[in-house]
Amino acid sequence: MSFVKRNTVLSSPRAGLTASTPQQQQHKQEKQLAPGLRPSPTDGRLTTSTGTASLDQLLAGHGGLPLGTCLLVEEQGTTDFSGILLRYYAAEGLVQGHQVHAVAFPPEWRHQLPGLASPDKKSKSASPAPAPEEKMKIAWRYESLGNNANAGASTRGDSGAPFCHSFDLSKRLASSESKGTLNPIPVGGAPSLDRRSVGTASPLKTILKQLRAKLETSGPNAIHRLVVPSLLSPTLYPPGCAQPSEVLQFLHGLRALLRQYSSQLTAIITFPTSLFPRSSGLVRWTEILCDGVVELIPLPARLGAAPPPPSGSDPKANEQPQGLFKVYTLPVYHEKGGGGAESGNFRENLSFSLSASRGLVIKPYSLPPMLEDEEEKPSAAPKKDGLDF
């Protein structure tokens, strides 16, 4: 017979659990992500928004720009659509509380960033989500992917902050709305004709030094964004920067920083292909050293065309395509693909349109119906009964 008393508790496991609850709370607080970040639905990598919801959906199916990557935006012609993408990218970082490093921009560039849109325009996106019991069980695997409609208003975690804000180009970012810091990185002034100054100055290396210093001094939870406008443009950079040795060293150094701080740093670089065509070897190497490459091709303006309508007049008029959007390379992170091949949107003919309220919208390109021309053709050419030999 056993002399152990029946119905007695030898050890209380709940006491041990209650003692470890403060430690678990500390671990949860450490695991909480910084504002403006969320895991990728494909492989769980941390991503941040570019400020343009339609562009986030094209970046390899991750729903944003993964940390530790660089995006190269090429543009033809003399327009500045890529510059507007940089403004949205910088404004999103300042609103989320990130550190934005702007190359060749003065501190006054902050006043040129678009402001947040009014909450009335986001009433549809602010509607409460349905309860989990009401969702269809057959579509459980598609809940994390989302769609293009509610991608800009999706939230992450318990904070409830939006992942991608909506901005208005007619407004300016107020100081109360920006929670981050803007760090301007000067390039070295206007280009000079003195060969000695060109040989001694190395503005691209100073960019990497200042960026590395900011990354080392900041905390491990700080998120950094690098804005590089019109790389190798003679209006912003000295002539010595256009040498292949200088450019390739800068891109290799930037790639090393992105891999070293793979959980803190992202970068977007714009490149004028009208000055440096894609057929040149320097541009090819630049595309290889960047994780993603896209190109903006503005459509030529028609002679005698009416001016664009205001933002609040007609939404259909603002959706007219203003250029073509081409995707050349996208980052692939796992053996299953992950480069957006499962959706296939980047393989279609894409176009973009810009409006003050909706920003830059990227969508599949489609030609308008030719109904008016078809009606005019039979009236212009008379029909003949006989045949001419």
Side-chain angles (χ1 to χ4, degrees):
M1 296 178 62
S2 176
F3 295 96
V4 180
K5 295 182 180 181
R6 301 291 183 180
N7 301 328
T8 58
V9 180
L10 298 178
S11 62
S12 58
R14 294 183 179 179
L17 292 176
T18 55
S20 61
T21 48
Q23 297 178 358
Q24 292 179 357
Q25 292 179 0
Q26 291 180 1
H27 287 297
K28 289 181 180 179
Q29 292 178 359
E30 292 178 357
K31 291 182 180 179
Q32 286 182 357
L33 300 178
L37 300 182
R38 70 178 179 187
S40 170
T42 56
D43 56 1
R45 293 175 180 266
L46 295 181
T47 60
T48 185
S49 176
T50 60
T52 305
S54 56
L55 179 60
D56 293 341
Q57 297 301 315
L58 293 176
L59 295 177
H62 296 283
L65 183 63
L67 296 182
T69 58
C70 173
L71 179 65
L72 180 66
V73 181
E74 302 175 349
E75 184 176 4
Q76 296 183 8
T78 57
T79 54
D80 194 23
F81 292 104
S82 60
I84 295 177
L85 280 178
L86 291 181
R87 294 181 185 179
Y88 278 96
Y89 176 67
E92 181 68 29
L94 292 178
V95 171
Q96 296 288 1
H98 302 170
Q99 296 189 19
V100 180
H101 307 277
V103 177
F105 281 129
E108 294 77 16
W109 187 61
R110 178 194 297 267
H111 305 291
Q112 301 180 7
L113 300 180
L116 291 175
S118 59
D120 296 338
K121 299 179 182 180
K122 298 171 62 179
S123 58
K124 296 182 180 180
S125 62
S127 59
E133 298 179 355
E134 299 177 0
K135 294 181 180 180
M136 297 178 61
K137 296 182 180 180
I138 194 173
W140 64 270
R141 64 180 62 185
Y142 304 108
E143 294 179 3
S144 59
L145 297 180
N147 50 16
N148 296 333
N150 58 1
S154 60
T155 58
R156 185 208 62 79
D158 299 333
S159 60
F163 178 73
C164 179
H165 293 80
S166 60
F167 297 93
D168 194 347
L169 284 174
S170 61
K171 299 181 180 180
R172 292 295 173 260
L173 188 65
S175 58
S176 60
E177 298 173 348
S178 62
K179 303 176 183 178
T181 57
L182 179 64
N183 303 320
I185 302 178
V187 176
S192 60
L193 299 177
D194 190 4
R195 295 182 179 179
R196 298 179 182 178
S197 61
V198 173
T200 56
S202 180
L204 297 181
K205 293 182 180 179
T206 57
I207 295 173
L208 296 177
K209 290 181 181 180
Q210 295 185 17
L211 181 60
R212 182 183 293 274
K214 292 290 184 180
L215 289 170
E216 292 176 353
T217 55
S218 63
N221 296 328
I223 307 301
H224 300 260
R225 298 187 176 208
L226 180 63
V227 177
V228 183
S230 301
L231 184 62
L232 305 184
S233 176
T235 58
L236 297 177
Y237 304 92
C241 296
Q243 297 180 3
S245 59
E246 293 287 335
V247 180
L248 295 181
Q249 288 182 8
F250 169 73
L251 294 175
H252 276 287
L254 179 59
R255 189 180 181 89
L257 289 177
L258 290 169
R259 298 302 183 265
Q260 182 179 358
Y261 300 93
S262 59
S263 61
Q264 294 181 262
L265 179 63
T266 56
I268 292 185
I269 304 174
T270 60
F271 197 87
T273 54
S274 57
L275 300 178
F276 303 91
R278 296 188 67 247
S279 58
S280 61
L282 180 60
V283 180
R284 290 295 184 180
W285 274 108
T286 303
E287 294 178 353
I288 291 173
L289 294 176
C290 295
D291 298 298
V293 180
V294 297
E295 186 179 12
L296 301 175
I297 305 176
L299 295 176
R302 298 179 180 178
L303 296 177
S311 58
S313 59
D314 187 6
K316 294 183 179 181
N318 295 327
E319 294 179 357
Q320 295 181 358
Q322 301 179 9
L324 300 179
F325 188 88
K326 291 187 177 181
V327 180
Y328 296 116
T329 58
L330 288 176
V332 179
Y333 291 102
H334 47 80
E335 64 276 3
K336 296 181 181 179
E342 54 273 0
S343 60
N345 293 331
F346 71 97
R347 295 183 178 180
E348 300 179 1
N349 295 327
L350 301 176
S351 63
F352 66 89
S353 60
L354 179 64
S355 63
S357 58
R358 300 182 60 187
L360 195 71
V361 180
I362 303 171
K363 58 183 180 180
Y365 179 72
S366 59
L367 294 175
M370 306 295 292
L371 298 178
E372 298 179 358
D373 296 344
E374 293 178 357
E375 295 177 357
E376 294 178 357
K377 284 182 179 180
S379 60
K383 296 183 179 179
K384 295 182 179 181
D385 297 335
L387 296 177
D388 297 335
F389 294 96

